[in-house]
């Protein structure tokens, strides 16, 4: 099969990356995708950088062995800990598989929106501790004020489908309601689960803070990368395919994942890494 007809490999610790897959499919409707959710080992957000890197390398090896033309790390924690290692291993001459993460696209989208008041990022403990957003913001916009907040309960709420209502609203308020008083005017959702709670998050921070989801910005970055590498599928190519794989609980993934993707997931295979 010509390289440009291969699928794009997308991975996450579980189902959260489906929010990124949805944006990728909307932006690149001719492309095929293979999604791998490491549901046996979710969450990554509370694990050490070394462990997350090891998991990300195993998932990537699997996707590459199946044949993918590009890799998208649709997980902030894995992007924060493993993007440089994976780029070095796969994007270099010889293999030339472009690797994109979600952190830098999210940062660029936030910088396009801020009116200079400062940017906050809400993310898992691991992503906040890794400082990936803080580093990218300081590198791309030295002098910008950055607030980072770990919001670990958001992942559990999203996994339960409790994305609105009293518990979700109160949790969002406890984590984030003081942000406007710090002068921040933009909030990046630095975790792929958080877009599902966007309504309660926007309610907590109020209308003075713009909320940024990195999924659309990531899809734009992936499209640019494929174009630069001459890897876009041409018009008239065979209809695209989307495959789903998980390391545990395919039925649960199909059920909860359809919420994330906003469409039914008909078939999910179980893989052993
Ligand atoms: N997908 C992860 C992220 O974006 C959140 C879930 C986890 O902790 O694994 O950071």
């Amino acid at each position: 099969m010509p390289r440009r007809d291969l699928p794009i490999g997308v991975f996450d610790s579980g189902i959260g990356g489906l929010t990124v897959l949805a944006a990728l499919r909307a932006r690149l409707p001719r492309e095929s995708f293979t999604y791998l959710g490491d549901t046996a080992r979710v969450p990554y957000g509370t694990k050490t950088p070394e462990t997350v890197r090891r998991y990300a390398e195993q998932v990537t090896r699997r996707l590459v062995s199946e044949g993918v033309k590009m890799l998208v790390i649709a997980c902030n924690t894995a992007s924060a800990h493993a993007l440089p290692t994976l780029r070095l291993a796969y994007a270099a001459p010889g293999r030339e598989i472009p690797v994109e993460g979600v952190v830098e696209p999210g940062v660029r989208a936030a910088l396009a929106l801020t009116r200079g008041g400062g940017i906050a990022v809400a993310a898992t403990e691991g992503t906040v501790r890794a400082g990936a957003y803080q580093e990218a913001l300081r590198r791309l916009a030295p002098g910008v004020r950055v607030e980072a907040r770990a919001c670990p309960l958001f992942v559990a709420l999203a996994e339960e489908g409790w994305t609105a209502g009293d518990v979700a609203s109160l949790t969002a308020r406890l984590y984030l309601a003081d942000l406007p008083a710090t002068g921040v005017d933009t909030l990046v959702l630095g975790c792929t689960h958080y877009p599902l709670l966007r309504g309660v998050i926007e309610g907590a921070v109020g209308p003075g803070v713009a909320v940024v989801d990195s999924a659309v910005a990531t899809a734009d970055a992936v499209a640019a990368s494929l174009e630069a590498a001459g890897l876009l599928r041409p018009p008239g190519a065979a209809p695209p395919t989307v495959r789903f794989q998980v390391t545990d609980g395919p039925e649960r993934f199909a059920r909860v994942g359809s919420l994330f993707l906003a469409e039914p997931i008909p078939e999910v295979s179980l893989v052993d890494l």
Side-chain angles (χ1 to χ4, degrees):
M1 181 191 286
R3 215 171 133 221
R4 65 183 184 192
D5 281 340
L6 288 174
I8 298 167
V10 181
F11 81 88
D12 178 38
S13 54
I15 55 180
L18 291 174
T19 56
V20 179
L21 181 66
L24 285 165
R25 289 178 65 199
R27 178 71 180 76
L28 296 160
R30 280 201 294 271
E31 299 297 332
S32 293
F33 295 93
T34 298
Y35 182 93
L36 203 162
D38 193 6
T39 44
R41 303 189 289 196
V42 69
Y44 282 7
T46 49
K47 301 207 165 65
T48 60
E50 296 72 29
T51 297
V52 172
R53 252 191 307 276
R54 183 159 46 86
Y55 290 175
E57 281 165 7
Q58 288 169 348
V59 172
T60 302
R61 221 173 294 135
R62 169 78 192 207
L63 285 169
V64 169
S65 75
E66 289 175 2
V68 290
K69 64 180 174 183
M70 175 164 188
L71 281 161
V72 182
I73 311 174
C75 171
N76 288 266
T77 312
S79 298
H81 295 314
L83 179 64
T85 317
L86 294 180
R87 273 212 174 125
L88 210 60
Y90 293 101
R95 272 184 152 146
E96 276 133 18
I97 300 174
V99 184
E100 191 60 69
V102 284
V103 172
E104 193 155 320
V107 163
R108 289 187 188 280
L111 287 172
L113 274 183
T114 183
R115 302 175 303 280
I119 294 174
V121 57
T124 64
E125 285 167 58
T127 301
V128 168
R129 249 187 288 118
Y133 276 92
Q134 298 92 314
E135 186 279 320
L137 279 162
R138 291 199 185 103
R139 179 166 39 85
L140 296 170
V144 77
R145 214 163 47 73
V146 186
E147 284 271 339
R149 293 284 163 86
C151 309
L153 288 179
F154 283 167
V155 172
L157 288 169
E159 293 268 347
E160 279 303 314
W162 288 18
T163 53
D166 293 347
V167 177
S169 300
L170 183 61
T171 309
R173 281 207 301 278
L174 288 171
Y175 281 141
L176 303 170
D178 65 318
L179 280 180
T182 67
V184 152
D185 64 22
T186 307
L187 170 66
V188 190
L189 304 181
C191 172
T192 49
H193 280 66
Y194 296 2
L196 281 185
L197 289 127
R198 189 179 181 127
V200 293
I201 292 171
E202 281 176 340
V205 296
V209 177
V211 174
V212 179
D213 168 2
S214 54
V216 172
T218 301
D220 288 340
V222 170
S225 202
L226 285 175
E227 188 167 10
L231 286 173
L232 283 168
R233 286 184 97 207
T241 57
V242 185
R243 288 173 58 220
F244 296 95
Q245 307 186 118
V246 291
T247 51
D248 193 27
E251 301 80 17
R252 184 173 198 281
F253 178 90
R255 184 167 36 82
V256 184
S258 58
L259 264 178
F260 280 65
L261 204 53
E263 65 179 89
I265 298 180
E267 202 184 316
V268 184
S269 355
L270 189 61
V271 293
D272 185 359
L273 300 176

